Amino acid sequence: MIKFTVSKTAVLLSIPILLSACGENDSNSSQEENVGEALEYTITGIEPGSGTAEIARKALEEYDNLNGWDIQESSTAGMLTELGQAIDNEEPIVVTGWTPHYMFELYDLKMLEDPLNVFGGEEGINTLTRTGLEEDMPEAFEILDRFEWNTEHMQEVMLEALERDFEDVTTEWVDNNRDLVDEWTEGIDDVDGTPFELGSIPWDTERSSANVLARVLEEKGYDVTITNLDPAVIYQALNLGEVDATAGAWLPTTAGAFMETYGENIVDLGPNLTGTVIGYVVPTYMEDINSIEDLPAKD
């Protein structure tokens, strides 16, 4: 803390400082209001019907200051395009985002604090299988049960796959991380061309884990097909036994409603990656917006 000697001179000098501080507070308030107006009180979202989109819309109902705000739902690719354009022009933007994701490697971003815990805090990405897989394909089931990696692994794959095909990237990743891969496969017998269907969601996080697992299962002799499905459909397919497994279930919050509806015939093997977070995301240059409660109310 800076200390001033109390004197007539100091008192006189303090007057403009105080006036300046008052002006800064007024400016901050004005900046917040301008953010809302500049955004037309709209948050840029992703695919409607996803667990993330449903929770993002729920936040509009839970936070009083978001009364009158809306979410523009489109696609993940559309959201990323708008985010990049806003950052190029250093314009305000609020998006529905999550980590791990390569957007946090490309841009200086921050996840807004969620005082009401609507987004549920940290969660895991779980591996799920259909009922009966352990009996039908015990080798694949054991690999899936052992599969575990971290955020850095996933983001490495995602970044490389921006410029190259996921299959090529994950083939190299498996080769370069042989010690970890061996932990998933040690002592497990090879098979001879057994078909295996992995369900995935066409987002880069899920594509990363699905393709890594596909390469590992193929090395053990499985004939792997990756089937991309909408978020809700993948849980229906697992419930009905139409796909064998997925490694992209964000639980307990994001996909919680899907598991409540379709989880009766789904086996949850637990997290293969921990520390994931979803929420509203802004560029770090939006210095006055650090919490969802900092977003200005619409008059």
Side-chain angles (χ1 to χ4, degrees), residues 32 36 41-43 59-70 94 112-116 118 280 288-299:
E32 289 183 5
Y41 300 95
T42 299
I43 294 165
L60 299 186
E61 303 171 1
E62 298 294 327
Y63 282 91
D64 292 340
N65 59 301
L66 296 185
N67 183 32
W69 281 72
D70 196 10
V94 182
L112 294 185
E113 297 171 9
D114 178 18
L116 300 182
V118 176
Y280 293 147
D288 297 325
I289 309 296
N290 296 298
S291 166
I292 295 175
E293 291 182 334
D294 291 335
L295 294 170
K298 184 177 181 180
D299 294 332

Side-chain angles (χ1 to χ4, degrees), residues 36-137:
E37 293 173 1
L39 295 174
E40 297 182 349
Y41 300 95
T42 299
I43 294 165
T44 303
I46 60 169
E47 291 83 352
S50 66
T52 300
E54 294 299 319
I55 298 170
R57 188 161 291 283
K58 180 182 177 183
L60 299 186
E61 303 171 1
E62 298 294 327
Y63 282 91
D64 292 340
N65 59 301
L66 296 185
N67 183 32
W69 281 72
D70 196 10
I71 294 182
Q72 177 187 340
E73 294 174 336
S74 57
S75 66
T76 300
M79 177 273 288
L80 291 169
T81 297
E82 293 200 31
L83 177 64
Q85 290 174 347
I87 289 175
D88 286 344
N89 298 311
E90 204 163 321
E91 296 171 343
I93 188 169
V94 182
V95 303
T96 301
W98 58 93
T99 181
H101 195 278
Y102 66 77
M103 71 176 98
F104 286 89
E105 298 288 334
L106 294 178
Y107 308 121
D108 290 327
L109 304 172
K110 57 186 176 182
M111 190 80 65
L112 294 185
E113 297 171 9
D114 178 18
L116 300 182
N117 201 36
V118 176
F119 288 96
E122 289 191 1
E123 55 183 346
I125 303 181
N126 288 25
T127 303
L128 310 178
T129 79
R130 61 172 174 82
T131 299
L133 182 70
E134 184 174 12
E135 293 74 27
D136 298 342
M137 304 182 199

